Amino acid sequence: MDNLSAFIYDNAEFDRLTLSVGARIDYRTQQAEPNQKLNLPDFQDGETDDVLDQTYTEFSGSLGANYQFTEHLAVSANIGRGFRSSKPF
């Protein structure tokens, strides 16, 4: 199994408003051994040994905002997307 990732994150402040943005890219490869108990690969279903090698390249990101109404009151919102690759067989 090989993993490689990179990310960037930044904030920008405008008086009472703070905006944040983040981005990440992941690259992962994983290999499995044939397993008769798990029927991998399933030759009867047309699978080949190629199903034992998996590669993922995925992008994740987030956007957020925080508005400070007073010293003791703020509202925040965030939206994001994540990625989790499957585990080896």
Side-chain angles (χ1 to χ4, degrees), residues 75-87:
V75 173
S76 296
N78 193 65
I79 187 167
R81 179 180 185 275
F83 164 72
R84 182 183 301 179
S85 67
S86 61
K87 294 183 179 182

Side-chain angles (χ1 to χ4, degrees), residues 22-26 57-61 81-83:
R24 176 182 171 121
I25 189 161
D26 289 277
T57 302
E58 294 292 329
F59 173 80
S60 304
R81 179 180 185 275
F83 164 72

